[in-house]
Each structure stands twice: as structure tokens, then as C-alpha cells.
Amino acid sequence: MADTTELSRAQIRRMKRFDNPWRNPKLIWGAGLILGIVFMGILGRLLWDMELVFTGSAPLKLPPVGFENLRGQAGVAAHPIGTDGAGRDLLSLIIIGAPNSLLVGLLASCIGMSIGIFLGFSAGFLKGRVDDTIRILADVMITIPPLLILVVFQASFGDVSLTMMAVLIACFMWQSPTRLIRAQVLSMRESGYVQMARLSGASTMHIMFREMMPNLVPYLFGSFIANVTTSIVTAVGLEVLGLGPQRIPTLGRTIYEAINSGALIQNLWWWWGIPTILLAVMFVGLLLINLGLDEVSNPRLRKL
Amino acid sequence: MGRIPMDYLLNRLVTLFLTVWIAATLIWIIPRLSPVDPAEIMLGRMAAGAGTVANADEILATLRARFGLDDPLLVQYVKYIRNVVVFDFGLSTASFPTEVSALIARALPWTLGLMLISITITFFIGNLLGALMVWERSPKLVRVAIPAAMVFTSIPPILSALLLMWVFSAQLRWFPLTGAYGLFVEPGWTWAFAQSVIYHGFLPALSIVVVTFGFWALGMRGLMITVQGEDYTTLAKAKGLRPRYILYKYMIRNAILPQITAFALKIGLLIAGQVLVERIFAYNGMGKLLYDAILDQDFPVIQGVSYVIILMTALSVFIVDLIYPLIDPRIRHGD
């Protein structure tokens, strides 16, 4: 095993410089991908004609530039990544749709995280019956797959707004932060610095937010990002089942319409493929952020 | 072998019961909060089929009485819970005289079969690869290639299903586009049928496996790193045991046990993901049943399918929780 004794130059450089864990390549790449999608949403709205998102504003089923569809039509520069079966420009569709998916994920995860922080601290601090109730409720709710309850909800209520969908998903996103925070708070309560703060007469609020919170941040970030992913997966799942917002373009709904019109058999790959790849990029970005954060908070996973 | 302490068993049973009860209640309450009336939807379907419906009001009243929509809410709820316990979800409104439970009974074996196969494969592959990532003797290619494949972990199975379907079914035509078995195959315990089922099930299972193995591999990697630093591993090396023997008997055996608990957290997502994969492949399971029911606004079927899937999830978690203390004696319960 010669190569483990001889360190490469990059490894030596990494050992020499002050180790800043936040300059983690995975974290940077992941954040880059997600920011890229956000920028696409912002710049797209400024640079591209958003009127093209309406049905019938463009020819049907045009391929991206440089390709030909089954009818022999070539792609045109006016619709660089093609159009869908209802005559909508795909570029404008994804400029609006992709940030929407991200927004649902972030919103649902934020709400879920807030509930989780509240319940987790309550359980850890108040103990007793409150703790029991919260613990059992979290255990129970973590087993129920959100998709199925939401299917029942949306099937009965019909159309929902984007925000409403995020709120609904958030109802199922508080369990894991709650459990995580509760477990950490229970163990931190007994630790020296918390005891010290308590003896010094610090208020409960001070102990919660000044003493405990900073130690929780890496865990919370990880849990937050994981929840963003789960929320987006749930939202896309609903949209692919034909539920979710009906009048707002979302990536999931575009895929749903493509499958329903037989885009797979007609080889209209851009129609479902571009939203699919964008979603995949989004998920990979989130995963990289999460892996990066993992390495930041757990140095044992870091490579030399 | 460990033993299951009584209070732990009781605790798990209460959680199982609460989960199923809360889910059943939610499924019952939610449609009742909505302004949509299922009887009117049925009437709408009749009107769509026949053009006009004579005596619409009378039919509406009869339908309401038939589905028990006129009873006080509490009576409806008690009746509902009693029925749900024996899997009686009433009649499907889309394919009217058929019982929902019969539809579910037909779809459930397909879903369960696909799930068991894909979960077993993905658990096996994922853990093995995760272990190889840490093992210092694995070929360099393995240690580079697997982390790269890990990128797929975060992609939901529905996206991999679309991509695989397009490449292997639509473009290359190696695999069928839809269904769980061929049109001209008689279902039964014959070799031809089995072949057809495997042929049709391959892509759905693959699309689940490619995106889920990474989850297990990642978990395994973390556990293996811990085990690698343990004294018993060092001792085994010092004794001069064969490296492969150390890998299987010392490292993987110790690292794999906590992985089983990860099932409890993951199984809900896995099942939900599979439901969507079934919808993409029009596989004859619960996913297709659910999707068709959504299209037809067939509430009894939507409720029944959701309930059964949640029950399935809760039961799997319960079983994992019970098995775990039996196979890992290091775990003490009650804390």
C-alpha cells in the first residue's frame, strides 16, 4: 500500500492550510446547482417572453433546436428547447415551473422546521406528559406517508394553490426535526455548560437559543435540506398523479401532461425529459449540500 | 438472540394502533370537510354517460341514503371505523357494483411482490457497496465509481422510471411499456406466466433499485468507518485473519444491524415512490388503482387504497421494530 504513505500534493496542501470546513467542494457544487436554478428563474423572467407560457401561444410539439420531430419539423430559435402538446414554450414553462417546485420545498420545510423547533424544545424542556404526547405523536406521524393523505385531501378539494400545497406538505415535515431536537435537548440538558448557565441564573429562553441552538445548527441544516428534498418529491408525486395546482405551471404537472399524451411513445423526449432532468439536477444539488454539511459537522467523514 | 421486553412490545403496539387509527380518521374527516358531494359526482357521471338524468333529485337522495351520507356524523364515523377494521370500504363508484376490497385484493399482491423484490435487492447491493467503499482492499475503481453513482440517490424513483422506460421500452424496445404481465398469457402457476411477470417487472424494480441503493450504501459507509476503527477489527488484523473473513465476519456483521432500523424511517417514502413507479409503468398494482381512482374521482377506492398502503407501512415499521432487538442484543430498550 504505497499510495497511502506518499501523500499527493493536494493532500499536503490541504493539511497545511487552516482547515476551513465550509470550503467543502460538495457543499459548493450543491449550492451552485440550486442557485443556478434560482438564477434561471430570475433571469428568465427578465430576458424571456413570459407570455409564451399560455396554451396555444406557440406551435405544438416542436423539438429543441437541432432536432427534428416525427412530423419532420425542425426546432426553431424562437423556442430553443421545444414546445409541448398544448403549444406552450418549454423554456418559459421551466423558468416558471422550476423555481415553483423549489419554493414549495423550501416553504414546506421552513414551516415544518419551525413547528419542529417549537415542539422539540417543548418536549425536551417540559418533560412529563407534554413530552410523552409529542414523542408519541411524532412517532406516529413519521410512519404515515404524506403522499397518501395528501392524495385524499386534494382529490376531495380539487384545485389548490402553490402555497396551500406547501402548507399541506408541511403538516408532515415536522416529525423528524422534532425527534432530532428533542433527543439533542435531552442530552444537552445534563451537559456542563447548560448546568453552568442555569446556575448563573440564565433564563430558559437564553439557554434554549444562546446555549443550545448553536450546537444544533449543523443537525438542523441537514434535517432541513433532507426535508426540502422530501417535500419536493411529495409535491412532484402529487403533480404526476394529476393533483396539485392545476393552473400554475409546475415541473411535475408538465411531466404528467407529457405522459398522458403518450410523449414517451411519440418520442417527444424534450417534453418530459427537460423537466425530469431539471428535477434531477435539483435533487442532486440538494443531496450534495446535505453530504457537504454532513462532512462539515462530522469531520470523520472528511477525506484527507 | 435477544428478547423482546413486554413494555417495549406494548409501546410498539400502541404506536401501531395509533398510527392506523389516526390515518383512518384523517382519511374519513378530510373528504367531509370538502364542499364536494360524492353523490353529485356519481350523478354527474350518469349524466355524462346518458345525456340527461330523469328524477335527478330522487336519485341523489337514494344515493345519499345508500352511502349513509344522511346519518349523523358520529354514526357515520363509528360505522366507518367498524367497516375499516374488516377492510370493508364500500362499493367503488366508478366501476359501481364492485367492492373496493375486491379491487384492492387484486392489486395488492403485485405491489407487495414488487416491493419485496426491489427492497431486498437494493438492501443487499447498497450495503455491500457501502462496505466496499470503506474496505481498504477494494479495487480503486470501486472506491471511485460508487461515490459517483451515489449522485442518483436523491432522485425519486419516478424520474428514474421515466428515463429507463424511455431508453429500454420506447427506444430500444427491450422491455414492455405497460402492464405486469403479457396480454396473451394466462395467469397461473406456469413457467410462461412467471417469465412474463419477471419480464414486465424488471424495469419497475430496476428503477427503484438504481435510486435507492445509495441510501443504504451511504448509511453503511458511515457505520463501516466506525467499525473500522474498533479494537476488535485491529485485533482481527493482528491475528492475521484473512482480510475477506474480517470484512464479512467482523466488519459487515457489526455494521449492518443498525441499517435495519433505517427501514423504519425509509419505508413510507419507498412505498410512496413505488406507487408512483407503478403509475408510470401502468403496473397492475395499488399505484395504478389509485391513479385510475383519482381520474374517476372514485372516493371509496382512493380512501381504501390510501388506508391499505398506510396500514402496510405501519405494519412494516412494527415488524422491523420487533425484529431488531431479536437480532441485535446490544440494544437495550426502555430508554
Side-chain angles (χ1 to χ4, degrees):
Chain A
M1 310 218 66
D3 56 353
T4 49
T5 48
E6 281 173 44
L7 295 173
S8 71
R9 202 170 295 161
Q11 283 170 321
I12 292 168
R13 197 175 340 123
R14 188 158 152 68
M15 286 180 83
K16 272 184 186 160
R17 74 168 147 76
F18 287 110
D19 193 9
N20 181 359
W22 292 99
R23 276 168 58 183
N24 180 301
K26 283 181 187 143
L27 193 61
I28 293 168
W29 271 102
L33 288 178
I34 296 298
L35 283 178
I37 290 174
V38 173
F39 275 122
M40 186 193 78
I42 296 169
L43 288 180
R45 267 163 232 256
L46 298 176
L47 301 176
W48 195 248
D49 182 10
M50 281 299 113
E51 293 292 307
L52 290 174
V53 83
F54 293 109
T55 310
S57 59
L60 311 187
K61 301 178 183 175
L62 274 186
V65 174
F67 294 94
E68 229 178 48
N69 64 13
L70 287 182
R71 280 180 295 180
Q73 291 165 312
V76 291
H79 308 291
I81 57 170
T83 60
D84 76 355
R88 282 172 294 192
D89 177 51
L90 261 181
L91 183 59
S92 60
L93 217 54
I94 62 168
I95 287 171
I96 298 186
N100 275 351
S101 296
L102 209 51
L103 182 77
V104 169
L106 287 173
L107 195 59
S109 196
C110 273
I111 301 174
M113 184 59 69
S114 315
I115 304 176
I117 290 175
F118 177 73
L119 289 181
F121 271 116
S122 310
F125 264 93
L126 299 174
K127 289 190 168 173
R129 200 158 292 169
V130 181
D131 180 34
D132 285 342
T133 316
I134 292 175
R135 182 176 50 83
I136 291 174
L137 201 63
D139 276 357
V140 165
M141 292 297 284
I142 212 164
T143 320
I144 301 178
L147 183 75
L148 293 152
I149 299 288
L150 294 177
V151 160
V152 172
F153 188 96
Q154 301 209 351
S156 358
F157 279 78
D159 199 3
V160 288
S161 71
L162 213 56
T163 333
M164 186 64 190
M165 183 154 84
V167 171
L168 286 173
I169 294 174
C171 296
F172 296 88
M173 289 300 141
W174 54 269
Q175 300 93 324
S176 54
T178 302
R179 282 162 56 130
L180 200 114
I181 294 168
R182 175 182 169 271
Q184 291 292 327
V185 168
L186 281 180
S187 75
M188 274 193 279
R189 276 179 72 104
E190 311 306 327
S191 64
Y193 61 91
V194 172
Q195 305 266 9
M196 190 67 207
R198 187 166 300 134
L199 288 175
S200 317
S203 67
T204 312
M205 278 294 157
H206 177 92
I207 295 177
M208 276 190 202
F209 290 100
R210 305 311 294 266
E211 304 287 341
M212 289 182 164
M213 208 51 166
N215 293 299
L216 281 171
V217 165
Y219 298 98
L220 291 184
F221 255 118
S223 169
F224 178 78
I225 299 291
N227 272 350
V228 173
T229 308
T230 314
S231 308
I232 299 177
V233 170
T234 307
V236 169
L238 283 171
E239 287 156 13
V240 169
L241 285 170
L243 301 165
Q246 311 282 313
R247 284 185 293 267
I248 311 157
T250 52
L251 296 181
R253 185 145 189 95
T254 312
I255 296 175
Y256 165 80
E257 285 164 357
I259 302 170
N260 269 13
S261 333
L264 279 161
I265 304 162
Q266 293 175 47
N267 202 17
L268 307 167
W269 52 267
W270 56 93
W271 186 0
W272 60 267
I274 289 168
T276 302
I277 286 170
L278 257 178
L279 280 172
V281 167
M282 209 180 284
F283 290 123
V284 169
L286 289 167
L287 175 80
L288 286 176
I289 294 181
N290 217 353
L291 291 180
L293 285 174
D294 238 11
E295 287 177 10
V296 170
S297 58
N298 185 2
R300 262 209 288 197
L301 292 173
R302 269 180 245 159
K303 270 183 259 157
L304 191 64
Chain B
M1 284 295 240
R3 209 167 49 76
I4 304 177
M6 207 50 207
D7 51 343
Y8 174 71
L9 180 70
L10 211 64
N11 184 316
R12 292 292 98 191
L13 266 175
V14 169
T15 313
L16 172 71
F17 168 76
L18 277 177
T19 311
V20 176
W21 177 61
I22 289 182
T25 307
L26 279 176
I27 289 172
W28 181 81
I29 288 180
I30 291 168
R32 273 159 190 80
L33 297 174
S34 133
V36 182
D37 182 353
E40 270 174 32
I41 291 176
M42 259 194 99
L43 197 74
R45 194 191 316 286
M46 285 163 119
T52 53
V53 178
N55 310 329
D57 291 338
E58 254 172 66
I59 295 177
L60 215 55
T62 326
L63 279 177
R64 285 218 179 90
R66 177 85 198 260
F67 287 106
L69 295 174
D70 293 327
D71 296 336
L73 278 180
L74 195 66
V75 175
Q76 284 189 40
Y77 179 65
V78 173
K79 253 192 209 164
Y80 164 80
I81 292 288
R82 221 172 40 207
N83 288 340
V84 153
V85 172
V86 292
F87 297 105
D88 178 5
F89 306 103
L91 306 176
S92 157
T93 57
S95 39
F96 178 54
T98 325
E99 277 186 32
V100 174
S101 50
L103 290 173
I104 291 177
R106 220 177 294 155
L108 193 58
W110 293 105
T111 298
L112 276 179
L114 186 60
M115 190 177 93
L116 279 178
I117 289 174
S118 56
I119 285 185
T120 313
I121 296 175
T122 193
F123 187 75
F124 182 75
I125 295 180
N127 282 307
L128 189 66
L129 291 182
L132 287 180
M133 268 163 79
V134 175
W135 197 39
E136 63 265 12
R137 280 169 186 267
S138 14
K140 201 152 195 182
L141 183 72
V142 175
R143 306 173 85 177
V144 178
I146 302 170
M150 226 45 112
V151 164
F152 298 115
T153 320
S154 52
I155 296 170
I158 185 171
L159 301 184
S160 59
L162 273 169
L163 287 169
L164 288 174
M165 192 178 180
W166 181 63
V167 174
F168 293 108
S169 300
Q171 295 296 109
L172 297 172
R173 297 182 190 267
W174 288 356
F175 289 98
L177 271 168
T178 58
Y181 54 89
L183 277 178
F184 308 107
V185 191
E186 188 73 22
W189 296 106
T190 59
W191 177 232
F193 182 64
Q195 252 179 330
S196 177
V197 167
I198 293 171
Y199 180 53
H200 282 74
F202 186 82
L203 271 192
L206 182 68
S207 46
I208 296 171
V209 169
V210 282
V211 294
T212 49
F213 83 88
F215 169 77
W216 304 106
L218 268 182
M220 190 64 174
R221 177 171 167 254
L223 291 163
M224 282 289 282
I225 290 176
T226 316
V227 170
Q228 203 178 27
E230 295 280 358
D231 289 343
Y232 56 76
T233 315
T234 319
L235 179 67
K237 275 185 206 155
K239 280 202 292 189
L241 294 176
R242 273 180 299 126
R244 214 169 272 261
Y245 186 82
I246 299 176
L247 175 70
Y248 291 119
K249 297 281 174 173
Y250 281 68
M251 298 172 79
I252 293 184
R253 271 195 78 167
N254 276 301
I256 203 164
L257 290 173
Q259 282 284 76
I260 292 167
T261 42
F263 261 122
L265 293 174
K266 202 67 183 171
I267 202 118
L269 268 180
L270 278 174
I271 293 179
Q274 192 190 320
V275 164
L276 296 168
V277 168
E278 287 178 9
R279 177 257 185 276
I280 300 272
F281 282 97
Y283 196 81
N284 306 11
M286 303 289 271
K288 184 168 179 291
L289 190 60
L290 181 67
Y291 175 65
D292 290 342
I294 292 171
L295 276 189
D296 293 332
Q297 292 201 293
D298 192 344
F299 281 104
V301 174
I302 298 178
Q303 288 178 328
V305 171
S306 300
Y307 174 76
V308 169
I309 295 179
I310 293 171
L311 180 69
M312 224 159 85
T313 317
L315 278 176
S316 329
V317 172
F318 178 68
I319 292 169
V320 169
D321 281 347
L322 285 199
I323 289 177
Y324 192 54
L326 290 180
I327 56 174
D328 193 348
R330 290 173 297 186
I331 295 300
R332 283 183 311 131
H333 289 290
D335 19 276

